[in-house]
Amino acid sequence: LLVPIMASNIDRFTPVTQAIFDLMASRKIQLGLEDVWYGDQTLTPRTPCLTVESGPFSRTLAGVSLKGTTDNVIRVELIIYISKIGDTQVNIKDSEVMAEAVMDVLHEDVSIGGLVLHGYVTAIEPGRIRKGNSMMRATRISWQGITKTRI
């Protein structure tokens, strides 16, 4: 007996990115963030801050017998920036701890309010970046959500 696969109701990445942005903005105090931005910024006036923006979207046909059902992968990239004056080691650790806290918040509701069937953090990449004349810690958090739709 085959159980039919129910299609999710979304194959658009912007509503998912907006929902993750809204979630992060609502938790910014808990996460210790000064600002949350939709999309990366040329300058970051206050840190620590977080940017949220859409990543690649992909769609594949989920087999001929499923009558046009597609598997969709929606990716969202989040970046934490920290540029505090002081010990670099503290900034590195703070950035990593914040990234793990962001991951925990994202994993509290793996469906992002029902927008995706399942979503999860796929990678956390600590690093640094130059913004303007400042060198700062930048930790990228890659999240992806899976949906099924009919075309």
Side-chain angles (χ1 to χ4, degrees):
L1 176 69
L2 291 174
V3 177
I5 296 172
M6 298 303 292
S8 170
N9 63 350
I10 191 158
D11 65 349
R12 300 288 186 258
F13 54 87
T14 304
V16 174
T17 305
Q18 183 66 53
I20 290 175
F21 169 81
D22 293 344
L23 175 62
M24 293 297 115
S26 73
R27 298 286 193 88
K28 80 177 196 177
I29 293 170
Q30 173 192 341
L31 292 167
L33 298 166
E34 292 290 330
D35 293 306
V36 177
W37 304 96
Y38 191 105
D40 205 355
Q41 305 296 302
T42 304
L43 298 174
T44 50
R46 302 185 311 170
T47 69
C49 65
L50 176 75
T51 64
V52 180
E53 65 181 77
S54 300
F57 169 83
S58 60
R59 177 192 319 257
T60 56
L61 192 59
V64 178
S65 65
L66 295 176
K67 298 180 182 173
T69 300
T70 61
D71 293 328
N72 311 303
V73 178
I74 298 168
R75 292 177 184 86
V76 177
E77 301 294 334
L78 303 91
I79 303 174
I80 296 170
Y81 293 106
I82 294 183
S83 179
K84 295 179 187 171
I85 296 173
D87 190 343
T88 303
Q89 295 177 88
V90 172
N91 285 345
I92 292 168
K93 185 174 180 184
D94 286 351
S95 176
E96 292 170 354
V97 168
M98 261 184 203
E100 290 172 337
V102 167
M103 178 175 64
D104 291 343
V105 169
L106 289 168
H107 288 166
E108 286 174 8
D109 176 9
V110 296
S111 73
I112 307 296
L115 291 174
V116 300
L117 297 173
H118 191 81
Y120 52 95
V121 171
T122 60
I124 296 176
E125 304 170 62
R128 60 181 179 238
I129 191 168
R130 180 173 298 284
K131 286 224 176 233
N133 292 327
S134 299
M135 183 65 77
M136 51 179 67
R137 297 305 307 172
T139 301
R140 177 184 303 274
I141 303 159
S142 298
W143 177 94
Q144 78 174 22
I146 310 296
T147 67
K148 289 185 177 291
T149 54
R150 294 190 194 278
I151 54 172

